Amino acid sequence: MDIRHLTLMLFLIGFSASSAYDDTWTIQVSPEVRTIEGYPAVLPCSFTHPTHTLHSSMNVVWRLGHARTSTVLFRCSSLNGSQQCETGPDQDQRYRLEGNHREHDLTLRISSTGLQDSGRYYCSVELPDQLHANYENKMGTRLRVEAPPRILSLSIGGSADTRLKALCQVQGSPLPDVQWTGLDEVLDAVNEAAPRSQEAPDRHKTTSQLLDIQPGGQYTCTASNPLGNDQATVYILPPSPEMSQINNTRHDTLTVPLLLGLALALKLLLFLGGLGVLFIKSQVGSKNQDHSNE
């Protein structure tokens, strides 16, 4: 094989590879983006397309979630080669296109993120002039919004007549660890299992229960994760003397009738016993008198 045939073969192979690449739409995204609650998040997305494709009109769409459960968060349209991608009147202003779609950059910016923004995002390109022309990266981008622990509530449940328990509800990402202490002693608690699914609405919240707490005790709930910690303390008042007197009065109110009833029953028994003794004596006396007469 001479040099001309070899050169022609390499050219054809290169042309075929280039043609195959040019006939493919590709969407490039970052697998994961992290930010802290209250700060913005930037989700990179870019695309390539076949060189012969005309896309003077296009729609840019960002969704949270996939398939039927997805929610459209951002949508803009660029018609007739316009350099502007116009959004609708109902577009949430927290979302805006950071990149230039005409330069194949669909990067999305989310301002003032919250824990509810965590999830998997998908960017896509729609071509209105072509039927069913919708190109999307199937893996998406995982957005993780992190937040320091925050104690949402600290409350007391149950009653003194049954069992008192303390409830501490905390929030944070990563999900905080919860520890209870009382008088500088670490106490055992029951922690509610966190939702396993990353899409669960309460995946950043958990509740810890401290059982069998006692009046007059002081209990502290501490929540911590790598971003910090939060702490709250509850003090359970002991029963007041007035309440103790009321309880004693109630007890006496129940006890006195019971004692009176027992006393009356005892007197009745003694009375009946006395009658029985008199009856027996009278019977014995009658028998003795009969024998005397004989």
Side-chain angles (χ1 to χ4, degrees), residues 33-207:
V33 171
R34 296 193 178 197
T35 188
I36 297 178
E37 184 182 27
Y39 287 82
V42 177
L43 309 182
C45 177
S46 61
F47 69 93
T48 61
H49 62 85
T51 56
H52 61 271
T53 301
L54 297 178
H55 57 282
S56 61
S57 296
M58 61 186 297
N59 300 326
V60 178
V61 180
W62 276 90
R63 294 180 173 86
L64 175 60
H66 199 253
R68 295 180 179 179
T69 59
S70 67
T71 302
V72 175
L73 299 177
F74 178 84
R75 183 185 184 91
C76 68
S77 300
S78 179
L79 305 177
N80 303 321
S82 172
Q83 293 296 317
Q84 300 296 323
C85 198
E86 302 292 340
T87 60
D90 298 330
Q91 176 61 54
D92 187 341
Q93 297 304 308
R94 286 203 311 129
Y95 307 95
R96 68 179 177 86
L97 205 59
E98 181 87 347
N100 186 340
H101 65 288
R102 288 301 174 187
E103 295 178 359
H104 301 177
D105 187 354
L106 309 180
T107 298
L108 182 72
R109 178 185 178 89
I110 307 174
S111 62
S112 187
T113 57
L115 289 175
Q116 72 280 0
D117 292 317
S118 295
R120 192 171 294 276
Y121 290 73
Y122 298 84
C123 72
S124 61
V125 177
E126 298 176 351
L127 304 181
D129 298 335
Q130 299 182 28
L131 186 62
H132 304 303
N134 184 3
Y135 304 97
E136 178 182 81
N137 181 285
K138 301 304 180 183
M139 295 301 295
T141 298
R142 167 71 64 189
L143 174 61
R144 297 186 185 274
V145 180
E146 299 182 344
R150 182 158 59 96
I151 295 179
L152 302 177
S153 65
L154 180 59
S155 59
I156 301 298
S159 65
D161 295 333
T162 55
R163 290 193 308 173
L164 290 174
K165 62 181 178 180
L167 303 174
C168 186
Q169 185 182 41
V170 304
Q171 175 180 278
S173 177
L175 195 67
D177 294 324
V178 181
Q179 187 178 71
W180 288 91
T181 54
L183 299 177
D184 298 327
E185 178 186 5
V186 177
L187 305 174
D188 293 330
V190 178
N191 294 328
E192 180 183 280
R196 293 185 179 182
S197 172
Q198 291 293 331
E199 310 301 331
D202 292 332
R203 63 190 179 278
H204 303 301
K205 296 180 181 179
T206 186
T207 300

Side-chain angles (χ1 to χ4, degrees), residues 247-294:
N247 291 334
N248 291 334
T249 303
R250 290 177 179 175
H251 178 72
D252 293 341
T253 304
L254 294 174
T255 303
V256 170
L258 180 61
L259 292 177
L260 289 175
L262 291 175
L264 291 174
L266 181 60
K267 288 183 177 181
L268 180 61
L269 289 175
L270 291 174
F271 176 73
L272 293 177
L275 290 178
V277 170
L278 292 175
F279 177 76
I280 292 172
K281 286 184 177 181
S282 64
Q283 291 296 322
V284 171
S286 299
K287 289 182 179 181
N288 292 333
Q289 187 175 3
D290 292 341
H291 285 297
S292 300
N293 294 331
E294 291 176 359

